[in-house]
Structure formats: structure tokens, C-alpha cells
Amino acid sequence: MGSPAASGVGGAERRLTARLRPAAVAGSFYPADASELAGLVDGLLADVRTERGAAGPVAAVAPHAGYRYSGAVAAHTYAHLAPWRSEIARVVLLGPAHLVPLAGMAVPGVDAFATPLGPVPIDADARVAVTGMPSVVVDDHPHRGEHSLETQLPFLQRALGPDVRVLPVAVGDTAPAAVAAVLSTLASAGGTVAVVSTDLSHYLDQRTARERDARTAAAILHRDAAAIRPEDACGHRALRGLVHHVAEHRMDVELLRLATSADSGADPRRVVGYGAFLVHEGSAGGTN
């Protein structure tokens, strides 16, 4: 049996480890080497021409496939957030729970998510604000191997800086109004941007996928959550919730880019669709 001092150190190490979610898809969805990852993300961001507009972003949509296929589309989202980095205090990151059946939404109990670029701190105040809301639980299990949220983190770190605070929200079987309520609660603090992580159509041929994704994009632009079907996006529940929130507050939505995996060299007979969107506070009349 070890000494009390040794036992105490070991316990502290175990508690520290328990508070950090390790990267689960580094080396598969994106590079595990920090320098390679930073260079890749910086290059993708640099390829997007953007400038700071009059209206700041309040939400966005980005894809979550391997960077080889969806990274250029995701870069459009984050390049449009980057000019506002000094005003963005936190990012609420919502994505589907691919691996664990989930009723409602789960926020993590850990203190940070690890990436090869360093830890991303969890916004504890945001977690407290939503804990106890209907459909929200604190549960690390749905986050353990989930890629939909993790793949966004290196882009956030490079576009918004290494100290960006994030609240990852795994979204399961949840009504759009419940997701919208979480967004409204957190937006009231100011300086908050919501990012929904979702791919669009899955495993259609290139022509059919483009048609399907164009229809989904139209539903998003027209703020019609009911028109977004489960087969239109793997993150349809989070996406519907965001669109519900956008419609409630008459916000404006901008399409930044649509593409498919075939545009990056994948088989055009069986593609995955990707979209990048940006949401601003609504202009007079609230139309797009």
C-alpha cells in the first residue's frame, strides 16, 4: 500500500485525466500532428476571401466529415467568424450523437476537450445556465467518441484563438423548440455564437445529392424547420432547432457554400453533401 502522499498525487492525476476528454478522431478525420493540423487549417481558412461586414454573426452551420472532403466547406464558415473573434466570448457547438442513442441533449461534465493543438476549455457558465432545462443532461458518454463536435474544434482554435470557450451539445431525439430554447437562453448572455455541425445528404449520386442539398438549403434560407427531413441531414435535429430559433427571432441566413465529397475526389456515385451557412441578426422586415 502506498503512502498517503503518493495516493493523493495519484488521485489528483486521475481526477485531472477524468476532466479532459481526449481527442478521439485525430489521425483519421484530421491530422494528429499539431504542426500539420495547424498548417492545414490555416491554409483552408486563407483560401476563403472574406471581410468583416456590418452585422456580426450569431450562428453558423458547418460540416463534420474528414477534412479531406469537407474541410474546404467548413473553412467558409470559420473564415466568416474569424473577423469577429474579439467579440465572440463563447461558441455553443451542437451536433448529432452518432454513436450513442440519446433522448434530449447532453452537455459534457469534463473541463476541456483535447485536440492536437491543445485543450479547448468548456464554458462552465454556459453549462450551468442550461443544466436543468428540459431535455438537457450532463453526460460525458455521448461525447466520448463523437466526431461531429470534435472536428469543429481545430477550426475554432485557429479562427477564434486558443482560448476560445465552447459548450459542446450532443443532440439526440429532441424537439426543435427545445433546441431553440437552449440557444435563446445562452444568447441572452451576449457574445455567443452557435455552430450546428451537420453533413447534408448521404450516399446519393452526385446529381441527386445536389438537388437534395439545394432543397435543404432553400428550407434553411426560408427558415422552414419543418421542411428539413431526417434524410436531408445527419444533424437534422440540431439543424431544425437552429432554424426554429432563427425563425422565432427573424434572423437572416446566408448561404456560403454547398459542395459534395465528389468535389474533393470521392466516388460521384455515392457522395455526402456539405453546406456552410451564416446567421445574422435580422434586418428590417426580416426577409432574406
Side-chain angles (χ1 to χ4, degrees):
M1 182 174 178
S3 68
S7 298
V9 171
E13 290 175 347
R14 285 191 294 273
R15 287 193 298 272
L16 181 60
T17 301
R19 292 197 301 265
L20 181 69
R21 175 206 183 267
V25 296
S28 54
F29 279 68
Y30 59 83
D33 177 78
S35 295
E36 182 183 355
L37 176 58
L40 173 60
V41 173
D42 289 351
L44 290 169
L45 292 171
D47 285 340
V48 181
R49 292 188 176 183
T50 184
E51 59 185 33
R52 182 178 168 119
V58 294
V61 176
H64 57 232
Y67 285 11
R68 171 184 174 186
Y69 300 109
S70 70
V73 178
H76 276 71
T77 297
Y78 292 104
H80 282 80
L81 296 183
W84 300 89
R85 62 188 288 169
S86 63
E87 285 92 345
I88 297 175
R90 71 159 66 103
V91 175
V92 183
L93 189 56
L94 304 99
H98 285 97
L99 305 176
V100 176
L102 176 63
M105 293 167 277
V107 296
V110 296
D111 295 327
F113 276 31
T115 82
L117 304 178
V120 179
I122 302 302
D123 192 305
D125 291 339
R127 177 168 53 203
V128 169
V130 300
T131 299
M133 292 184 67
S135 302
V136 179
V137 297
V138 178
D139 187 355
D140 288 315
H141 185 53
H143 293 274
R144 197 157 293 156
E146 181 54 56
H147 67 272
S148 69
L149 303 174
E150 180 184 327
T151 51
Q152 309 306 312
L153 299 178
F155 276 104
L156 286 170
Q157 289 173 298
R158 301 305 292 179
L160 300 184
D163 298 323
V164 60
R165 291 179 292 130
V166 175
L167 182 66
V169 183
V171 181
D173 189 1
T174 312
V179 177
V182 167
L183 295 176
S184 294
T185 296
L186 295 176
S188 65
T192 299
V193 169
V195 176
V196 166
S197 170
T198 185
D199 296 336
L200 299 180
S201 61
H202 281 58
Y203 310 133
L204 303 173
D205 64 86
Q206 174 81 326
R207 181 185 62 81
T208 307
R210 285 178 170 168
E211 292 173 355
R212 173 82 60 85
D213 295 343
R215 187 179 64 206
T216 303
I220 296 169
L221 294 173
H222 288 94
R223 303 181 294 244
D224 187 358
I228 301 170
R229 304 169 301 179
E231 60 267 30
D232 293 334
C234 58
H236 65 276
R237 293 186 176 97
L239 185 58
R240 283 173 172 170
L242 174 63
V243 174
H244 186 96
H245 174 69
V246 165
E248 280 188 321
H249 297 276
R250 300 193 64 77
M251 297 171 175
D252 293 332
V253 187
E254 176 185 359
L255 171 62
L256 303 175
R257 184 173 177 184
L258 287 177
T260 75
S261 54
D263 296 321
S264 299
D267 186 345
R269 297 169 297 179
R270 184 176 166 85
V271 308
V272 177
Y274 312 122
F277 299 83
L278 199 65
V279 178
H280 307 275
E281 291 290 354
S283 57
T287 57
N288 297 301

